[in-house]
Amino acid sequence: MNTELQEIRAHMGRFPPFDKISDELLDEVAGEIEVGYFQAGSTILEQDQPIHELCYVRSGAVEVYRRTGALYDRLGEGDVFGQYGLLRNRKVRFPAKAIEDTLIYFIPEQTFTRLCETDENFADFVELGRPRLKAAIEDQRKNNDMMITRVRKLVTRPPLIVEGATTVQQAARLISEHQASTVLVVDAPGDNPRFTYTDAEGGQWQVCGIVTDSDFRARVVGEGRGPETPVTEVMSTNLIAVQSDESVHEAMLCMLRNNVHRLPVMHRRRPIGVVVLSDIIRYETNTSLFLVDNIFNQTSAEGLSALVPEVRAACVRMVRDGADSQMIGSALSTIGRSFARRLLELAEQELGPPPVPYCFMALGSMARNEQTLVSDQDNALVLSDDFDPKRHDAYFKAMARRVSDGLAACGYTYCKGKVMATNPDWRQPLAVWRRYFRSWMAEPTPQRLLHSNIFFDLDAVHGDNALVEALQDQVAQEAPKHELFLAAMARNALNRTPPLGFFRDFVMEKDGKHNNSINVKRRGTAPLADLIRVHALACGSSAQNSFRRLDDIGKTQLLGPGVADRLGYALEFLTMSRLRHQVFDIEHEQEPDNNVEPENVSSEERRNLKDAFRVLSDAQKFLAFRYPMPNRNR
């Protein structure tokens, strides 16, 4: 093969779909290439003209247009076009024009057809029109067994079940005989339909609790109870369970969030087994479970801060082992919640029991389960309406200070905007929070819109969860009714734009500290989360996680077909790009940040970054159209 053909082959082999075809096919393609040169502004393909070649951009830039004349796509080095005409009626469907001096490789129709017939990946790429972003995300997920393995696969035997009247001695004997560690306790159906089921004989039962071998040690032997004690007196009634068709990933997250080591597995509310920590370990790709357990074993804030290197190491392992952003975000958010929860427990031990019920509330990325390694703390306290500032605020002020300082020592920096429970504005009874939320939606001033962006991603961390759930319900019920609020939120979500230049290059940061880089959070994941939040508020979704919100949005008519999926692919790719960069910094003993230098990533990742930012740009253009400012004169 001569030098020119070797150069053609080497270049095409770097870009999809040619990067995955065999060497023999790549040699064949390179040998049949014809080269064309087009000056800036010249037409490459005219609408409806006959087409008999696939076009590959060797250098330069090309714009492809819809039949209406609207811009369809902007292409650069390594992109292909013309395949839709070849696959249909051999006529150009999307005209194309060079916007810079451009070199095109023309691949003959017969070669194109042979590639489609002999290479499945090539055929999928051109026939299905599978976007690069979707392909990148799906390829990653194929390598992650935890996302597709159902938890029922881990169930190896039916659960041990006893009735509530069973004695602890009988239950212990049963556990010993079956070499188990857990029994489920059932009784007559009560007020919890979630755990009510019909057995094989037609009997109606409700799972009301769980007893483990550690319960026997702590609650029977440790407390000196007799062997005739009913199991109902020693069982755990706060039952945490998973459905049989949920993934191993979901089971792992359930253990992380609730700090439990055993999970009953339900099929249509009927218990079919119990999975324990050792069952999950085989599928676990990181040490986050052990890290959470270690967090709750610490007896001081200093002990907690000593675990910071383990958090970073866990993130590095998850990224290197192929976990996706949802797994990593959930794990890191759960670790962050666990730090806060343990600090709250330590504060209660020092300060005494709280004078009135409360709930510590996480905001922002922790509430959305989308944390990365670079995160500040956004939190608040929701207090019972029995709260009396004169009698009770000193206690909660001291608690908030201990938690905020402890989180800062654990790597969660203080919020520059003082959105923390240490701020008395964000340490209020439920009735005040309800008034806050109502006023923010009814009269959306710039300051109130800023608060809505922060506080409308909220989740309970510790305490009386019902206090935070009441606020979540209020937002889901009232937000869709406020057209002005939604329109203002939509415009507010346009303040941060993606870093796409007029042509095909990125617009770099020029802040003096991170020149020639892209802040992927500020220019990508944050504005994506903002616009997804607007659509979620409009459809009354109570979900907090951006991907769960997209699931709810996809069930409505708010967006066109496939748009919610594209937003999900863009968010996944941008988040993983951000995480990979942070891992790179850690491995090179640098402090992780959100700034990615495009010249330091592969050409394929650069292309995928552009695609993701283009999805964001298109979605932002749609926001103002979808949520117009209401006419107050109507």
Side-chain angles (χ1 to χ4, degrees):
M1 181 178 289
N2 62 40
T3 302
E4 182 181 1
L5 291 181
Q6 287 178 347
E7 196 278 333
I8 292 174
R9 182 190 188 283
H11 191 277
M12 297 184 71
R14 290 164 42 203
F15 298 98
F18 303 101
D19 58 341
K20 290 185 171 63
I21 67 175
S22 68
D23 288 341
E24 292 78 11
L25 283 174
L26 189 56
D27 289 340
E28 183 179 335
V29 172
E32 298 180 3
I33 289 292
E34 294 184 10
V35 182
Y37 172 76
F38 297 86
Q39 290 185 331
S42 61
T43 297
I44 302 172
L45 298 177
E46 293 184 355
Q47 185 172 310
D48 293 328
Q49 80 173 61
I51 182 170
H52 299 288
E53 298 95 8
L54 178 69
C55 304
Y56 174 95
V57 182
R58 172 59 178 84
S59 62
V62 174
E63 284 187 341
V64 179
Y65 302 92
R66 300 182 187 276
R67 299 177 72 86
T68 60
L71 179 65
Y72 172 69
D73 203 357
R74 185 173 289 121
L75 308 177
E77 182 183 14
D79 284 322
V80 297
F81 60 100
Q83 64 267 36
Y84 298 113
L86 287 172
L87 290 168
R88 288 170 174 80
N89 58 359
R90 307 294 196 278
K91 289 186 178 181
V92 172
R93 288 175 53 83
F94 299 103
K97 182 175 71 173
I99 57 174
E100 296 178 1
D101 290 349
T102 300
L103 199 65
I104 299 292
Y105 290 164
F106 291 102
I107 301 169
E109 179 183 345
Q110 60 270 25
T111 305
F112 172 82
T113 302
R114 193 157 55 250
L115 285 169
C116 290
E117 292 174 347
T118 57
D119 189 279
E120 184 176 341
N121 178 75
F122 185 93
D124 283 348
F125 189 94
V126 297
E127 291 175 4
L128 301 179
R130 190 168 69 140
R132 289 190 297 262
L133 266 183
K134 182 179 180 181
I137 302 308
E138 289 182 349
D139 289 345
Q140 175 177 292
R141 288 174 177 168
K142 285 178 183 177
N143 296 323
N144 197 323
D145 186 51
M146 291 182 69
M147 294 295 291
I148 59 176
T149 301
R150 302 300 176 190
V151 72
R152 61 175 176 264
K153 184 177 180 180
L154 305 186
V155 175
T156 57
R157 60 181 177 179
L160 296 181
I161 297 177
V162 299
E163 295 184 37
T166 304
T167 67
V168 292
Q169 184 180 52
Q170 292 170 326
R173 186 180 296 119
L174 190 64
I175 283 180
S176 179
E177 289 173 355
H178 289 82
Q179 297 182 332
S181 61
T182 307
V183 292
L184 300 180
V185 182
V186 300
D187 218 326
D191 58 357
N192 192 346
R194 183 176 169 221
F195 295 120
T196 300
Y197 70 98
T198 303
D199 64 19
E201 286 75 37
Q204 290 280 314
W205 300 96
Q206 178 179 305
V207 182
C208 54
I210 184 173
V211 181
T212 68
D213 48 7
S214 61
D215 291 328
F216 285 108
R217 292 192 299 271
R219 298 178 183 177
V220 179
V221 179
E223 296 180 6
R225 297 176 185 267
E228 300 304 314
T229 303
V231 290
T232 50
E233 293 188 15
V234 300
M235 68 183 182
S236 299
T237 57
N238 183 23
L239 197 63
I240 307 296
V242 292
Q243 295 301 310
S244 62
D245 61 350
E246 292 188 43
S247 67
V248 174
H249 166 56
E250 288 295 334
M252 182 198 75
L253 292 181
C254 189
M255 284 187 170
L256 282 170
R257 290 174 187 141
N258 297 285
N259 192 31
V260 297
H261 291 176
R262 295 171 179 82
L263 284 176
V265 179
M266 305 293 193
H267 176 63
R268 297 179 179 174
R269 300 187 300 277
R270 178 174 62 86
I272 64 170
V274 176
V275 294
V276 298
L277 180 60
S278 59
D279 298 323
I280 302 293
I281 297 305
R282 291 183 297 126
Y283 291 90
E284 219 242 329
T285 60
N286 58 82
T287 59
S288 49
L289 276 172
F290 298 108
L291 179 54
V292 167
D293 190 53
N294 203 3
I295 288 171
F296 284 101
N297 286 329
Q298 300 304 311
T299 58
S300 68
E302 292 75 18
L304 291 170
S305 64
L307 299 178
V308 172
E310 292 187 34
V311 178
R312 292 188 170 187
C315 182
V316 170
R317 280 190 289 271
M318 284 187 280
V319 171
R320 294 304 181 212
D321 288 343
D324 68 8
S325 77
Q326 295 180 62
M327 296 178 68
I328 299 171
S330 294
L332 291 179
S333 299
T334 300
I335 289 169
R337 283 192 181 92
S338 299
F339 276 125
R341 190 176 301 151
R342 186 57 181 153
L343 287 165
L344 288 159
E345 291 173 350
L346 293 172
E348 288 185 15
Q349 291 175 16
E350 183 178 348
L351 299 172
V356 295
Y358 77 95
C359 190
F360 189 85
M361 179 168 66
L363 308 166
S365 61
M366 184 182 290
R368 297 195 309 271
N369 281 328
E370 294 170 19
Q371 282 205 305
T372 67
L373 285 174
V374 182
S375 182
D376 60 359
Q377 51 177 292
D378 295 305
N379 53 64
L381 276 170
V382 186
L383 308 168
S384 164
D385 286 335
D386 295 329
F387 172 74
D388 181 343
K390 292 182 180 179
R391 292 188 297 145
H392 304 146
D393 192 50
Y395 176 95
F396 290 109
K397 180 179 179 180
M399 168 183 278
R401 174 51 60 195
R402 283 165 171 76
V403 175
S404 185
D405 290 347
L407 287 174
C410 293
Y412 304 88
T413 58
Y414 296 112
C415 175
K416 294 179 181 178
K418 301 187 184 302
V419 181
M420 298 176 290
T422 51
N423 184 334
D425 289 343
W426 314 132
R427 192 172 65 244
Q428 295 289 340
L430 177 61
V432 173
W433 280 107
R434 286 190 178 278
R435 289 199 296 272
Y436 282 169
F437 281 26
R438 194 171 296 115
S439 66
W440 296 346
M441 289 184 279
E443 299 180 18
T445 65
Q447 185 65 34
R448 289 173 174 177
L449 288 172
L450 177 62
H451 290 156
S452 299
N453 267 338
I454 297 171
F455 286 90
F456 284 8
D457 298 337
L458 68 159
D459 202 15
V461 171
H462 182 72
D464 185 354
N465 290 4
L467 294 170
V468 171
E469 290 168 359
L471 295 176
Q472 291 174 334
D473 291 343
Q474 179 180 351
V475 172
Q477 293 165 9
E478 296 182 11
K481 304 174 185 176
H482 292 277
E483 292 183 17
L484 177 61
F485 168 70
L486 292 174
M489 285 287 284
R491 279 150 186 78
N492 202 49
L494 303 179
N495 290 335
R496 294 180 284 195
T497 58
L500 290 173
F502 181 74
F503 288 102
R504 66 188 191 282
D505 294 326
F506 294 112
V507 176
M508 304 297 188
E509 306 292 343
K510 297 293 182 183
D511 61 5
K513 183 178 179 181
H514 296 290
N515 287 343
N516 300 318
S517 68
I518 299 170
N519 188 307
V520 178
K521 176 184 178 181
R522 183 166 62 234
R523 307 296 295 275
T525 58
L528 257 176
D530 287 347
L531 72 88
I532 291 170
R533 183 188 305 111
V534 175
H535 293 307
L537 291 170
C539 72
S541 170
S542 59
Q544 305 302 311
N545 175 262
S546 294
F547 293 98
R548 302 288 80 78
R549 285 172 167 172
L550 285 171
D551 290 341
D552 290 345
I553 295 164
K555 298 172 185 175
T556 72
Q557 302 298 315
L558 284 174
L559 303 177
V563 175
D565 289 339
R566 289 195 289 276
L567 289 171
Y569 296 137
L571 179 59
E572 173 67 26
F573 188 84
L574 290 172
T575 305
M576 286 307 305
S577 181
R578 181 181 171 197
L579 284 164
R580 283 192 292 268
H581 169 75
Q582 292 174 1
V583 165
F584 177 89
D585 283 343
I586 291 170
E587 292 180 332
H588 288 77
E589 299 182 352
Q590 301 171 9
E591 192 61 25
D593 58 34
N594 296 308
N595 292 279
V596 174
E597 296 80 20
E599 65 268 21
N600 292 337
V601 301
S602 68
S603 59
E604 183 174 3
E605 184 162 354
R606 282 173 61 93
R607 288 151 57 91
N608 287 331
L609 278 171
K610 292 175 188 175
D611 286 349
F613 287 131
R614 189 176 293 119
V615 169
L616 170 58
S617 178
D618 291 343
Q620 286 186 327
K621 293 172 184 175
F622 178 73
L623 267 185
F625 167 78
R626 184 62 186 79
Y627 303 102
M629 279 292 182
N631 186 349
R632 290 176 177 264
N633 296 324
R634 285 185 299 181

